[in-house]
PDB file of all heavy atoms in Angstrom:
ATOM      1  N   LYS A  74       6.619  19.620 -24.164  1.00 98.00           N
ATOM      2  CA  LYS A  74       6.522  21.048 -23.951  1.00 98.00           C
ATOM      3  C   LYS A  74       5.040  21.495 -24.424  1.00 98.00           C
ATOM      4  O   LYS A  74       4.488  22.336 -23.646  1.00 98.00           O
ATOM      5  CB  LYS A  74       7.526  21.770 -24.815  1.00 98.00           C
ATOM      6  CG  LYS A  74       8.985  21.625 -24.247  1.00 98.00           C
ATOM      7  CD  LYS A  74       9.909  22.520 -25.016  1.00 98.00           C
ATOM      8  CE  LYS A  74      11.255  22.502 -24.256  1.00 98.00           C
ATOM      9  NZ  LYS A  74      12.377  23.270 -25.078  1.00 98.00           N
ATOM     10  N   THR A  77       2.601  20.024 -21.855  1.00 98.00           N
ATOM     11  CA  THR A  77       2.490  20.800 -20.683  1.00 98.00           C
ATOM     12  C   THR A  77       1.843  22.172 -20.768  1.00 98.00           C
ATOM     13  O   THR A  77       1.026  22.526 -20.022  1.00 98.00           O
ATOM     14  CB  THR A  77       3.986  21.028 -20.056  1.00 98.00           C
ATOM     15  OG1 THR A  77       4.618  19.760 -20.002  1.00 98.00           O
ATOM     16  CG2 THR A  77       4.035  21.811 -18.837  1.00 98.00           C
ATOM     17  N   ARG A  78       2.130  22.961 -21.876  1.00 98.00           N
ATOM     18  CA  ARG A  78       1.581  24.261 -22.124  1.00 98.00           C
ATOM     19  C   ARG A  78      -0.019  24.080 -22.136  1.00 98.00           C
ATOM     20  O   ARG A  78      -0.795  24.933 -21.591  1.00 98.00           O
ATOM     21  CB  ARG A  78       2.019  24.788 -23.471  1.00 98.00           C
ATOM     22  CG  ARG A  78       1.616  26.350 -23.509  1.00 98.00           C
ATOM     23  CD  ARG A  78       2.457  26.946 -24.566  1.00 98.00           C
ATOM     24  NE  ARG A  78       3.871  27.173 -24.185  1.00 98.00           N
ATOM     25  CZ  ARG A  78       4.900  26.518 -24.629  1.00 98.00           C
ATOM     26  NH1 ARG A  78       4.833  25.559 -25.556  1.00 98.00           N
ATOM     27  NH2 ARG A  78       6.098  26.851 -24.188  1.00 98.00           N
ATOM     28  N   ASP A 110      11.215  13.508 -19.203  1.00 98.00           N
ATOM     29  CA  ASP A 110      10.546  14.731 -19.698  1.00 98.00           C
ATOM     30  C   ASP A 110      10.551  15.914 -18.665  1.00 98.00           C
ATOM     31  O   ASP A 110      10.085  17.057 -18.977  1.00 98.00           O
ATOM     32  CB  ASP A 110       9.187  14.453 -20.140  1.00 98.00           C
ATOM     33  CG  ASP A 110       9.056  13.723 -21.346  1.00 98.00           C
ATOM     34  OD1 ASP A 110      10.007  13.711 -22.286  1.00 98.00           O
ATOM     35  OD2 ASP A 110       8.029  13.009 -21.618  1.00 98.00           O
ATOM     36  N   PHE A 111      11.145  15.557 -17.433  1.00 98.00           N
ATOM     37  CA  PHE A 111      11.006  16.605 -16.287  1.00 98.00           C
ATOM     38  C   PHE A 111      11.545  17.921 -16.679  1.00 98.00           C
ATOM     39  O   PHE A 111      10.938  19.034 -16.478  1.00 98.00           O
ATOM     40  CB  PHE A 111      11.697  16.059 -15.015  1.00 98.00           C
ATOM     41  CG  PHE A 111      11.618  16.950 -13.905  1.00 98.00           C
ATOM     42  CD1 PHE A 111      10.455  16.888 -13.080  1.00 98.00           C
ATOM     43  CD2 PHE A 111      12.621  17.905 -13.638  1.00 98.00           C
ATOM     44  CE1 PHE A 111      10.296  17.755 -11.941  1.00 98.00           C
ATOM     45  CE2 PHE A 111      12.357  18.877 -12.588  1.00 98.00           C
ATOM     46  CZ  PHE A 111      11.239  18.767 -11.735  1.00 98.00           C
ATOM     47  N   GLY A 112      12.658  18.038 -17.254  1.00 98.00           N
ATOM     48  CA  GLY A 112      13.369  19.327 -17.559  1.00 98.00           C
ATOM     49  C   GLY A 112      12.579  20.225 -18.640  1.00 98.00           C
ATOM     50  O   GLY A 112      12.415  21.293 -18.404  1.00 98.00           O
ATOM     51  N   ASP A 113      12.186  19.486 -19.603  1.00 98.00           N
ATOM     52  CA  ASP A 113      11.276  20.230 -20.604  1.00 98.00           C
ATOM     53  C   ASP A 113       9.905  20.662 -19.961  1.00 98.00           C
ATOM     54  O   ASP A 113       9.553  21.709 -20.272  1.00 98.00           O
ATOM     55  CB  ASP A 113      10.957  19.391 -21.857  1.00 98.00           C
ATOM     56  CG  ASP A 113      12.353  19.277 -22.687  1.00 98.00           C
ATOM     57  OD1 ASP A 113      13.149  20.079 -22.611  1.00 98.00           O
ATOM     58  OD2 ASP A 113      12.338  18.200 -23.579  1.00 98.00           O
ATOM     59  N   MET A 114       9.322  19.836 -19.204  1.00 98.00           N
ATOM     60  CA  MET A 114       8.080  20.292 -18.457  1.00 98.00           C
ATOM     61  C   MET A 114       8.488  21.408 -17.627  1.00 98.00           C
ATOM     62  O   MET A 114       7.704  22.340 -17.555  1.00 98.00           O
ATOM     63  CB  MET A 114       7.675  19.039 -17.709  1.00 98.00           C
ATOM     64  CG  MET A 114       6.399  19.276 -16.711  1.00 98.00           C
ATOM     65  SD  MET A 114       6.698  20.093 -15.166  1.00 98.00           S
ATOM     66  CE  MET A 114       7.766  19.022 -14.364  1.00 98.00           C
ATOM     67  N   ASN A 115       9.465  21.357 -16.862  1.00 98.00           N
ATOM     68  CA  ASN A 115       9.833  22.424 -15.985  1.00 98.00           C
ATOM     69  C   ASN A 115      10.037  23.705 -16.539  1.00 98.00           C
ATOM     70  O   ASN A 115       9.621  24.763 -16.076  1.00 98.00           O
ATOM     71  CB  ASN A 115      11.054  21.913 -15.136  1.00 98.00           C
ATOM     72  CG  ASN A 115      11.084  22.642 -13.810  1.00 98.00           C
ATOM     73  OD1 ASN A 115      10.177  22.715 -12.958  1.00 98.00           O
ATOM     74  ND2 ASN A 115      12.254  23.102 -13.453  1.00 98.00           N
ATOM     75  N   ALA A 116      10.664  23.689 -17.818  1.00 98.00           N
ATOM     76  CA  ALA A 116      10.907  25.071 -18.513  1.00 98.00           C
ATOM     77  C   ALA A 116       9.567  25.599 -18.850  1.00 98.00           C
ATOM     78  O   ALA A 116       9.305  26.798 -18.644  1.00 98.00           O
ATOM     79  CB  ALA A 116      11.653  24.678 -19.737  1.00 98.00           C
ATOM     80  N   VAL A 117       8.471  24.875 -19.274  1.00 98.00           N
ATOM     81  CA  VAL A 117       7.273  25.369 -19.732  1.00 98.00           C
ATOM     82  C   VAL A 117       6.507  25.779 -18.466  1.00 98.00           C
ATOM     83  O   VAL A 117       5.852  26.914 -18.355  1.00 98.00           O
ATOM     84  CB  VAL A 117       6.480  24.504 -20.453  1.00 98.00           C
ATOM     85  CG1 VAL A 117       5.023  24.878 -20.755  1.00 98.00           C
ATOM     86  CG2 VAL A 117       7.155  24.139 -21.891  1.00 98.00           C
ATOM     87  N   TYR A 118       6.520  24.961 -17.324  1.00 98.00           N
ATOM     88  CA  TYR A 118       5.843  25.173 -16.189  1.00 98.00           C
ATOM     89  C   TYR A 118       6.214  26.576 -15.595  1.00 98.00           C
ATOM     90  O   TYR A 118       5.485  27.361 -15.053  1.00 98.00           O
ATOM     91  CB  TYR A 118       6.279  24.111 -15.177  1.00 98.00           C
ATOM     92  CG  TYR A 118       5.659  24.120 -13.704  1.00 98.00           C
ATOM     93  CD1 TYR A 118       4.556  23.364 -13.417  1.00 98.00           C
ATOM     94  CD2 TYR A 118       6.337  24.961 -12.751  1.00 98.00           C
ATOM     95  CE1 TYR A 118       4.017  23.351 -12.210  1.00 98.00           C
ATOM     96  CE2 TYR A 118       5.763  24.944 -11.471  1.00 98.00           C
ATOM     97  CZ  TYR A 118       4.564  24.122 -11.220  1.00 98.00           C
ATOM     98  OH  TYR A 118       4.120  24.273  -9.897  1.00 98.00           O
ATOM     99  N   ALA A 119       7.549  27.000 -15.709  1.00 98.00           N
ATOM    100  CA  ALA A 119       8.095  28.198 -15.215  1.00 98.00           C
ATOM    101  C   ALA A 119       7.475  29.458 -15.951  1.00 98.00           C
ATOM    102  O   ALA A 119       7.520  30.556 -15.391  1.00 98.00           O
ATOM    103  CB  ALA A 119       9.591  28.254 -15.341  1.00 98.00           C
ATOM    104  N   GLU A 120       6.797  29.222 -17.242  1.00 97.00           N
ATOM    105  CA  GLU A 120       6.225  30.324 -17.920  1.00 97.00           C
ATOM    106  C   GLU A 120       4.917  30.748 -17.258  1.00 97.00           C
ATOM    107  O   GLU A 120       4.371  31.777 -17.398  1.00 97.00           O
ATOM    108  CB  GLU A 120       5.965  29.895 -19.373  1.00 97.00           C
ATOM    109  CG  GLU A 120       7.186  29.570 -20.220  1.00 97.00           C
ATOM    110  CD  GLU A 120       6.896  28.871 -21.562  1.00 97.00           C
ATOM    111  OE1 GLU A 120       5.629  28.977 -21.920  1.00 97.00           O
ATOM    112  OE2 GLU A 120       7.853  28.465 -22.097  1.00 97.00           O
ATOM    113  N   PHE A 121       4.354  29.791 -16.489  1.00 98.00           N
ATOM    114  CA  PHE A 121       2.954  29.869 -15.935  1.00 98.00           C
ATOM    115  C   PHE A 121       2.955  30.371 -14.405  1.00 98.00           C
ATOM    116  O   PHE A 121       1.957  30.857 -13.809  1.00 98.00           O
ATOM    117  CB  PHE A 121       2.155  28.618 -16.133  1.00 98.00           C
ATOM    118  CG  PHE A 121       1.729  28.347 -17.459  1.00 98.00           C
ATOM    119  CD1 PHE A 121       2.508  27.853 -18.405  1.00 98.00           C
ATOM    120  CD2 PHE A 121       0.453  28.641 -17.888  1.00 98.00           C
ATOM    121  CE1 PHE A 121       2.101  27.592 -19.581  1.00 98.00           C
ATOM    122  CE2 PHE A 121      -0.037  28.445 -19.083  1.00 98.00           C
ATOM    123  CZ  PHE A 121       0.853  27.878 -19.998  1.00 98.00           C
ATOM    124  N   ARG A 129       4.956  21.832  -4.967  1.00 98.00           N
ATOM    125  CA  ARG A 129       4.718  20.956  -6.122  1.00 98.00           C
ATOM    126  C   ARG A 129       5.223  19.559  -5.803  1.00 98.00           C
ATOM    127  O   ARG A 129       6.263  19.315  -5.263  1.00 98.00           O
ATOM    128  CB  ARG A 129       5.477  21.453  -7.455  1.00 98.00           C
ATOM    129  CG  ARG A 129       5.273  20.564  -8.580  1.00 98.00           C
ATOM    130  CD  ARG A 129       5.978  21.174  -9.860  1.00 98.00           C
ATOM    131  NE  ARG A 129       7.404  20.830  -9.709  1.00 98.00           N
ATOM    132  CZ  ARG A 129       8.290  21.438 -10.620  1.00 98.00           C
ATOM    133  NH1 ARG A 129       7.877  22.149 -11.688  1.00 98.00           N
ATOM    134  NH2 ARG A 129       9.535  21.194 -10.649  1.00 98.00           N
TER     135      ARG A 129
END
Side-chain angles (χ1 to χ4, degrees):
K74 287 183 176 181
T77 301
R78 189 169 287 109
D110 287 336
F111 183 86
D113 286 339
M114 173 281 295
N115 206 44
V117 175
Y118 183 96
E120 297 172 11
F121 285 81
R129 180 177 75 185

